[in-house]
Amino acid sequence: MAVESGLSLFGVDNSANVAAAIKAQAASQAAAAATAAALKVEYDSLTEYKKMVTDLLDDLTGSNADHKKLAHGTLPAGKLGHGFPEAEALFKSYDTVITELQKLSKGLADQIEALGIAISTAGKGFGDVDDDTKRRMVAIAETAKEHYVPERDPYLEEQRRLAASQHPGTATPGAGGNATGGNH
């Protein structure tokens, strides 16, 4: 009978289709196994990276660069002298530097903490993260936004230049001879 020789009732060779389906399934399983192995490596790498980030945060928190310690070591006003404009200007500069270092230290600690949270929650999706972690991430983001100074952003000008060079409609001339496609 025709079915026994691998041909269907319609004269199509089913054995080729079955073999192709088996090969496709085997390739899919091999790809899934490779993906799982790659994800395991990524997870291990993220775990090691999170430990490194946590260690950096611990080092910063206990060091002289901690924003809380910076505040304790400041000079009192008048320590550099009274009645001298130069001494007052020097103290004002000193106070500004200490204040900016405190902000930098606090911001760095927050960013390291946020990076650690992001690494530990990677792959979960924001919906599966506990409420305390979500609130902490939102608080860190809001603090960063409050302290963001566009004039200090080294990438902002480059981003603006790139955005300005990519005007919509100018890349490909349209019908009618102009960039937008009309006959204006």
Side-chain angles (χ1 to χ4, degrees):
M1 179 167 238
V3 174
E4 291 175 10
S5 67
L7 294 177
S8 71
L9 295 173
F10 300 108
V12 177
D13 186 0
N14 284 333
S15 61
N17 292 337
V18 171
I22 291 171
K23 286 180 184 178
Q25 183 176 7
S28 175
Q29 288 173 342
T35 301
L39 288 175
K40 172 73 172 121
V41 169
E42 288 296 322
Y43 176 77
D44 290 345
S45 297
L46 285 176
T47 303
E48 291 170 19
Y49 193 64
K50 183 182 184 313
K51 183 186 179 326
M52 184 180 74
V53 167
T54 302
D55 290 345
L56 283 172
L57 184 58
D58 290 344
D59 289 348
L60 177 65
T61 302
S63 76
N64 290 332
D66 185 345
H67 67 281
K68 294 172 190 162
K69 282 192 175 185
L70 284 170
H72 295 304
T74 58
L75 291 174
K79 184 74 173 175
L80 301 175
H82 294 286
F84 298 102
E86 292 81 7
E88 291 172 10
L90 180 60
F91 180 77
K92 186 176 179 182
S93 295
Y94 167 81
D95 192 48
T96 300
V97 168
I98 292 296
T99 301
E100 291 301 312
L101 283 173
Q102 288 172 327
K103 289 179 189 176
L104 177 64
S105 175
K106 175 75 170 98
L108 181 59
D110 284 350
Q111 293 304 307
I112 291 171
E113 181 184 0
L115 182 59
I117 292 170
I119 291 169
S120 66
T121 59
K124 292 182 181 179
F126 200 66
D128 294 334
V129 176
D130 65 86
D131 289 339
D132 289 338
T133 303
K134 286 179 187 178
R135 279 193 289 276
R136 183 63 189 139
M137 284 295 283
V138 168
I140 292 170
E142 287 174 353
T143 301
K145 195 173 188 177
E146 286 173 22
H147 291 95
Y148 175 69
V149 180
E151 295 80 29
R152 294 182 184 171
D153 189 340
Y155 302 105
L156 189 60
E157 185 58 37
E158 182 179 334
Q159 290 171 351
R160 287 180 182 159
R161 204 170 12 101
L162 183 62
S165 70
Q166 296 177 348
H167 292 295
T170 58
T172 307
N178 70 18
T180 60
N183 290 319
H184 303 279

